[in-house]
Amino acid sequence: MRWWSLANLVSNAGTWMQLTVQSLLVLQVTGSAAMTGLSLAVQAGPGLLLGLLGGAAVDRWPRKLTAAVSQVALGAVGFTTAALVALDLLNVPVLLTLAAVTGIISTVDGPACALLGNDLVPRRDVPSAIALGSAVHSIGRLAGTALAGGAVLLFGTASAFVANGFSFVFVAAVIPFLKLVDRSAEEPETAPEPEPAAPADPRADGPDEPDDSRQRAGGGARDGLRFFLGRPQLVLLAAITALSSVFGRNYTLTLAVLVTGPLAGGAGSFGTVSTALAVGGIAGALLAGVLQRPSVRLVAAMSAIGAAFQIAAGLSPTLGLLVLLVIPMAIVESVSDTAGTTVLQTDPPPAMRGRVLGVWRSLSTGWGLVGPPAIGLLMEWTGPRAALVIGGLVVALPAVAGLAVHARRARRTVADAVGQAPVATAPEPVEPVEPVEQPEPVRVPVPARVTDGDRAPAAVTVS
């Protein structure tokens, strides 16, 4: 697990180095902000359209091989982009093609690497492993963003893509040496999950079953979608996360407008706020490591608390107070994200988890595309302060209402159980039984043979 965490740190740092300079590169090549947005949409599009198929592939193919091949493929894209940039051969069609290829590979790489990390630890340690992964992601984001500026300044824009390519190669080199935990040797913590109500399908038996070339990935994807929609806790998790992502998590946009607008700050001030967000995110991920059995209720509660901090941040009169509010806001939202990820990766049966993550990737890509334009329009109409307050209310009110309904149902269930329980009654007294008198033995004289001498008759006792 240590090597895997180190590999993830290197990979995340490389990814954020590339992302930091990618938008600038698109602007340099095209000179169009609209084209920059289009390139990001092209890269995200496969996640929306092919996420289900990617998850089905992860459930079917060997986990380590799938993750290693996808990492090598992403590294090849990074090296290709770096070469085209260095040779000044990058143009708009090639740029969009590379973005689309990256998005397609990521539909398989994302769930494969996420589930591979869980396979490295015992079942009871999976929540801690997910929390560690979240912390590594936040640290890698800080490191990659900081390294990108120095690398571009010293070696040029292509260096960021080269570094990202090598980070993928490093991960691919580590994967063959990882030792997976033997799940068959572990005692199940809970009762086995029931199979989904879908018709029986040999593809749902798991990745260890022999692969049948006649099976189609599309059927597996449909099975994953059917299972997801039939799981109430996953549907509720998706609803909570969608509201939070659209109205509560676009802080690079909402807080940037708030800092540079009503609070009259500059780029340096927003950098301070961004650092506070990153620090809070790392602290929240580490705090989430103590969670053993997170639930959707915890996700809802943390989302409501984070929304309350967002409302307070929108009403903040000074930059200093905003920074103080941003740190706990990032902490509770990081705990919420980590808890939600844990539920997502542990609630489904092992043979279904890749497809569930594929469904989630499609959904998260959808609200990721909808969120920034929606909150941007809201800020245009109401201003940044009102947008933060309205967004916080949109997130908090449904979460609080859901928690209240759940608590009421729980109390009613307990009351019904108590009312239906049999009432213990005292046993009826048992009358003492008088002992039965035993008849006295009757002595029956038995005549005996007379011998030479006269003798007294013998007696036999009969009960």
Side-chain angles (χ1 to χ4, degrees):
M1 188 64 188
R2 294 177 181 176
W3 277 104
W4 180 244
S5 298
L6 176 61
N8 266 332
L9 178 61
V10 173
S11 179
N12 275 288
T15 298
W16 281 100
M17 285 183 68
Q18 175 174 317
L19 290 176
T20 302
V21 301
Q22 183 170 325
S23 297
L24 179 61
L25 175 63
V26 177
L27 283 173
Q28 291 175 348
V29 172
T30 65
S32 170
M35 189 59 66
T36 302
L38 177 62
S39 68
L40 295 175
V42 168
Q43 185 167 328
L48 178 64
L49 302 175
L50 304 176
L52 287 168
L53 295 177
V58 170
D59 278 337
R60 179 170 302 158
W61 298 340
R63 191 70 46 78
K64 290 174 67 174
L65 179 62
T66 303
V69 171
S70 64
Q71 289 287 305
V72 170
L74 289 172
V77 173
F79 289 132
T80 301
T81 307
L84 293 174
V85 171
L87 297 174
D88 198 20
L89 296 176
L90 194 64
N91 53 42
V92 173
V94 173
L95 185 65
L96 295 179
T97 301
L98 290 172
V101 171
T102 300
I104 292 172
I105 299 172
S106 296
T107 60
V108 175
D109 178 74
C113 289
L115 295 177
L116 178 60
N118 297 345
D119 293 339
L120 301 177
V121 297
R123 186 182 292 108
R124 65 178 181 275
D125 294 332
V126 168
S128 299
I130 294 174
L132 177 61
S134 298
V136 167
H137 176 78
S138 299
I139 295 172
R141 179 176 183 175
L142 283 176
T145 304
L147 291 172
V152 171
L153 182 63
L154 294 175
F155 306 108
T157 304
S159 63
F161 295 91
V162 172
N164 193 33
F166 277 116
S167 72
F168 288 125
V169 172
F170 178 70
V171 176
V174 168
I175 288 176
F177 299 97
L178 299 176
K179 184 178 180 181
L180 305 183
V181 173
D182 184 9
R183 299 294 186 197
S184 62
E186 291 185 314
E187 291 292 335
E189 294 181 351
T190 57
E193 294 282 354
E195 291 295 327
D201 191 334
R203 288 166 296 193
D205 291 338
D208 295 331
E209 293 294 326
D211 187 18
D212 185 352
S213 60
R214 294 173 298 177
Q215 293 176 350
R216 296 179 293 107
R222 290 191 294 271
D223 291 342
L225 180 60
R226 187 183 300 113
F227 177 87
F228 191 98
L229 295 178
R231 206 76 161 181
Q233 56 267 42
L234 296 182
V235 175
L236 290 174
L237 179 62
I240 295 168
T241 308
L243 287 176
S244 299
S245 298
V246 173
F247 295 99
R249 302 295 177 87
N250 292 287
Y251 295 134
T252 54
L253 176 60
T254 55
L255 294 183
V257 176
L258 177 65
V259 170
T260 58
L263 296 180
S269 300
F270 180 64
T272 302
V273 174
S274 299
T275 302
L277 281 170
V279 170
I282 296 173
L286 295 176
L287 180 62
V290 303
L291 301 176
Q292 292 301 316
R293 297 185 64 84
S295 62
V296 178
R297 281 176 292 168
L298 177 63
V299 175
M302 293 294 102
S303 296
I305 296 172
F309 278 114
Q310 176 180 319
I311 294 171
L315 301 175
S316 175
T318 64
L319 180 64
L321 181 58
L322 176 64
V323 172
L324 293 177
L325 291 171
V326 158
I327 294 176
M329 179 175 71
I331 290 175
V332 297
E333 291 186 350
S334 180
V335 172
S336 175
D337 289 342
T338 305
T341 302
T342 303
V343 172
L344 191 67
Q345 295 183 17
T346 58
D347 176 79
M352 190 65 68
R353 287 172 184 168
R355 279 164 281 187
V356 168
L357 290 181
V359 175
W360 189 263
R361 185 175 184 87
S362 296
L363 294 175
S364 61
T365 302
W367 62 60
L369 294 175
V370 170
I375 201 69
L377 287 175
L378 184 60
M379 286 193 295
E380 287 286 337
W381 295 335
T382 64
R385 290 190 183 277
L388 284 167
V389 173
I390 294 173
L393 291 174
V394 170
V395 174
L397 293 179
V400 172
L403 290 171
V405 170
H406 182 275
R408 184 176 180 180
R409 288 180 177 175
R411 289 194 298 269
R412 183 179 302 171
T413 301
V414 172
D416 292 343
V418 172
Q420 295 175 2
V423 179
T425 58
E428 296 182 0
V430 179
E431 297 181 359
V433 179
E434 296 182 358
V436 179
E437 296 183 359
Q438 297 293 334
E440 295 182 358
V442 179
R443 300 177 64 86
V444 180
V446 178
R449 289 184 304 171
V450 178
T451 59
D452 294 339
D454 292 336
R455 292 180 294 181
V460 178
T461 302
V462 179
S463 299

